[in-house]
């Protein structure tokens, strides 16, 4: 039967990011760009639409009985599009409605202007909404249809306009220039929309990759912290208690073994409730001193902890305080086991910069580099534990004794 995989504690911020991705926020930049485009196009279309409407009111080019119906066909969808773009409600559908109806209105232009050649030389009011139709296609359609509208709508305007005005050289030249201008402006608008949307898609893709990488790194960090915590728990509590009990020959050593066994049982019982070496509830530096004094008393080490606490020293996170106390307890236990009878001293210094704990003994010392890899007392229970909460641990040992320095600084 396969072993059950342990649950990995991932930071809540990572969970929120992953949750956002699963609910569609992977299109964050794309959605923002679309909204900006909708507002800009909506405002621009409103300005140009008002201009076209004012020109249409006094237009005499089309037959009077077709004048109002044609205005309704053009300006009703245009008004719907502007409202949809400005409010963000059914923006694509509103833009598509105008993009489709305006070419139909252009097709009707030769019919509604038939027999009114005397009024043809003036600029027709259907010229003004021409580029609104092409930009509406940019908002509503995919790129192939956008290109088709950018070319076809101006050409359609040119065709129906030539039917209206006839084949005079001056009129043809003017219509051709209008068509070319409309095409250039349509291509510019299409290109801007494509560039902005492509940039948004690229940004969203980069964001997804960054979040995925961060999530993987957070999961790996959680696994490593769990490994360090389990290794420290096994060494500090279980193995250390068993070794101390096996080697206990004197009353002092037996008392030390009993204290270590009691600590081991307590930590094993609370292992599932204390995965992170405690909470982040702020702890006063004086509480750390009391914890060390209590630990020294339980270990029977006879250590006097000297405290140099600045009255303005801020509190430290609970997990940091717990890690400092446990690492210091391991250092005291090491001194009690390997430097028995030596002078063991402790010092706690706390100020606005951070907190430092210095533990020393006058035993025979050892070579830290010669400690086997499977011995976790220093590597796991002291150095890795302090590093896991953002601090540093230094172990110096020679013939005159061993000094363990634990330090943690407040964020600046």
């Amino acid at each position: 039967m396969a072993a059950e995989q342990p649950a990995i504690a991932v930071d809540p911020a990572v969970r929120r990011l992953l949750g956002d991705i699963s609910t569609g926020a992977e299109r964050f930049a794309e959605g923002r760009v679309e909204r900006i485009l909708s507002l800009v196009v909506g405002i621009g279309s409103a300005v140009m639409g008002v201009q076209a409407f004012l020109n249409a009111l006094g237009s005499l080019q089309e037959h009077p009985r077709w004048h109002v119906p044609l205005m309704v066909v053009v300006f009703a969808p245009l008004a719907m599009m502007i409202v949809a773009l400005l409010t963000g409600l059914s923006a694509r559908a509103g833009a598509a409605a105008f993009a489709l109806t305006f070419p139909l209105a252009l097709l009707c232009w030769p019919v509604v202007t038939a027999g009114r050649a005397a009024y043809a030389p003036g600029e027709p009011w259907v010229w003004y909404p021409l580029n609104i139709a092409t930009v509406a296609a940019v908002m509503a359609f995919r790129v192939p249809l956008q290109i088709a509208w950018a070319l076809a709508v101006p050409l359609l305007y040119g065709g129906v306009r030539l039917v209206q005005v006839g084949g005079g050289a001056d009129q043809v030249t003017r219509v051709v220039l209008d068509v070319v201008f409309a095409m250039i402006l349509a291509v510019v608008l299409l290109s801007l929309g494509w560039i902005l949307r492509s940039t948004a898609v690229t940004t969203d893709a980069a964001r997804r990759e960054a979040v995925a990488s961060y999530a993987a790194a957070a999961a790996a960090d959680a696994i490593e912290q769990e490994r360090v915590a389990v290794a420290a728990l096994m060494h500090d509590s279980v193995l250390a208690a068993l070794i101390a009990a096996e080697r206990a020959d004197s009353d002092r050593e037996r008392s030390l073994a009993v204290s270590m066994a009691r600590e081991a049982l307590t930590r094993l019982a609370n292992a599932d409730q204390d995965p992170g070496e405690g909470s982040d509830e702020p702890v006063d530096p004086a509480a750390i001193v009391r914890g060390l004094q209590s630990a020294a008393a339980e270990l029977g080490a006879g250590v006097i902890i000297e405290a140099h606490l600045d009255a303005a020293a801020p509190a430290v996170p609970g997990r940091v305080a717990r890690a400092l106390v446990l690492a210091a307890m391991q250092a005291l236990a090491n001194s009690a086991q390997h430097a028995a009878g030596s002078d063991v001293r402790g010092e706690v210094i706390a100020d606005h910069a951070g907190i430092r704990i210095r533990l020393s003994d006058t035993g025979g010392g050892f070579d830290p580099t010669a400690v086997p890899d499977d011995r976790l007392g220093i590597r796991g229970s002291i150095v890795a534990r302090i590093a896991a909460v953002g601090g540093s641990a230094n172990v110096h040992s020679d013939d005159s004794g061993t000094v363990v320095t634990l330090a943690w600084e407040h964020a600046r």
Side-chain angles (χ1 to χ4, degrees), residues 256-318:
L256 174 62
V258 170
S259 299
M260 294 176 67
R262 186 184 302 112
E263 172 70 12
L265 291 174
T266 301
R267 294 193 64 193
L268 286 173
N270 298 325
D272 59 339
Q273 302 173 7
D274 190 26
E277 303 279 38
S279 69
D280 274 331
E281 190 71 25
V283 175
D284 189 81
I288 297 178
V289 175
R290 291 193 296 270
L292 290 180
Q293 292 171 341
S294 176
E298 289 187 5
L299 292 173
V303 181
I304 297 178
I305 306 295
E306 297 181 4
H308 304 280
L309 308 180
D310 189 333
V316 300

Side-chain angles (χ1 to χ4, degrees), residues 313-337:
V316 300
R319 282 187 291 180
V320 174
R322 177 68 170 164
L324 289 170
V325 171
L326 289 175
M329 287 174 58
Q330 181 60 40
L332 291 175
N334 289 345
S335 295
Q337 292 179 21

Side-chain angles (χ1 to χ4, degrees), residues 366-384:
F366 67 100
D367 182 4
T369 61
V371 177
D373 292 340
D374 60 346
R375 300 298 297 274
L376 302 176
I378 295 176
R379 186 177 296 106
S381 301
I382 298 179
V383 177

